[in-house]
Amino acid sequence: MDSNFWHQLWESNEIGFHQRAVNPLLAEYINTLSLAEGDRLFLPLCGKTLDIAWLLSKGYRVAGAELNKPAVEQLFSELGVEPRISTLGNLDCYSAENIDIFVGDIFELSSEILGGVDAIYDRAALVALPDQMRKKYRAHLLEITRIAPQLLLTFEYDQTVMEGPPFSISPDDIKQYYSDKYSLSLLKKIDVPGGLKGKCEASETIWLLSAI
């Protein structure tokens, strides 16, 4: 992962990937994970997404991993809570009631440090990584979460028109990455209003991945 690339985007406030509202696909399909109040969701490469506040408001606990420390500081500021900060290995952990965000390289996050999770909500991680890194990420994610069920959001578009991130990921790609461990269900596919970054037509998809 090119950490400098992501740090520069946050520093220059080029965060078009940061949505200014709760993702409607999350709100529509969270129930497909069959979670109970108090269950813990893991959000890889979470940034300061408003989805976190929404999940907390629904009674879930949240764990996240994020490379950029200012993004995490902004997240807690916007939540209106003062985090407890501890160091765990090569990561800093920002914690408050029902929330733990691990700051640093996600590949430094172990299952022991993360702790148990009941589900994964991957809105921003798989689509952020180039193809050569996705298999490494996939293997690491399954290891640290013990193959927890996932809601996975992806984009599909003509990558000759625009380079990622976010990268275009096809259904065949998802089958390649996950079909050996999960049953895959395409829940919905919608057009991205105005196109992706206003540059090209694109669709957004949401998948339910259930452990086999």
Side-chain angles (χ1 to χ4, degrees):
M1 190 186 315
D2 185 353
S3 58
N4 288 332
F5 171 80
W6 292 105
H7 288 313
Q8 288 169 5
L9 288 185
W10 281 102
E11 186 174 344
S12 60
N13 203 37
E14 295 179 38
I15 51 173
F17 51 84
H18 174 69
Q19 296 181 332
R20 299 184 182 278
V22 173
N23 190 293
L25 293 176
L26 170 65
E28 185 174 355
Y29 289 105
I30 184 68
N31 289 340
T32 63
L33 290 170
S34 300
L35 298 172
E37 185 174 343
D39 280 352
R40 192 169 186 244
L41 288 96
F42 177 55
L43 281 61
L45 308 190
C46 61
K48 60 174 185 175
T49 174
L50 297 179
D51 296 344
I52 290 176
W54 185 85
L55 289 167
L56 292 171
S57 75
K58 297 300 179 181
Y60 302 116
R61 294 180 296 141
V62 172
E66 171 54 43
L67 184 66
N68 186 264
K69 183 168 72 171
V72 176
E73 292 171 342
Q74 291 172 38
L75 167 66
F76 279 88
S77 176
E78 291 170 9
L79 289 173
V81 295
E82 186 70 27
R84 303 180 302 274
I85 304 172
S86 57
T87 299
L88 301 170
N90 293 323
L91 302 169
D92 290 331
C93 181
Y94 284 58
S95 298
E97 185 177 5
N98 295 329
I99 181 171
D100 306 290
I101 306 296
F102 301 94
V103 183
D105 187 340
I106 191 173
F107 294 108
E108 298 282 350
L109 182 61
S110 66
S111 59
E112 292 77 18
I113 292 175
L114 174 60
V117 297
D118 300 289
I120 302 161
Y121 170 50
D122 184 346
R123 184 189 70 82
L126 191 69
V127 296
L129 300 174
D131 181 63
Q132 64 270 23
M133 290 198 65
R134 288 181 209 141
K135 290 182 180 178
K136 177 183 177 183
Y137 162 76
R138 170 258 188 209
H140 183 66
L141 181 68
L142 299 193
E143 178 184 351
I144 64 176
T145 64
R146 298 179 173 86
I147 318 179
Q150 295 192 47
L151 278 182
L152 171 65
L153 273 66
T154 61
F155 294 102
E156 290 181 64
Y157 64 92
D158 183 352
Q159 200 132 17
T160 64
V161 176
M162 188 190 80
E163 295 182 354
F167 294 99
S168 179
I169 299 177
S170 70
D172 285 342
D173 291 331
I174 294 172
K175 291 174 185 176
Q176 177 188 356
Y177 302 142
Y178 291 120
S179 63
D180 62 330
K181 299 295 184 183
Y182 290 104
S183 62
L184 311 176
S185 301
L186 175 60
L187 299 176
K188 196 169 191 178
K189 181 175 182 178
I190 59 173
D191 292 335
V192 176
L196 195 59
K197 297 183 179 180
K199 294 181 179 179
C200 66
E201 294 182 354
S203 58
E204 187 175 16
T205 58
I206 183 166
W207 296 80
L208 174 66
L209 280 57
S210 305
I212 297 172

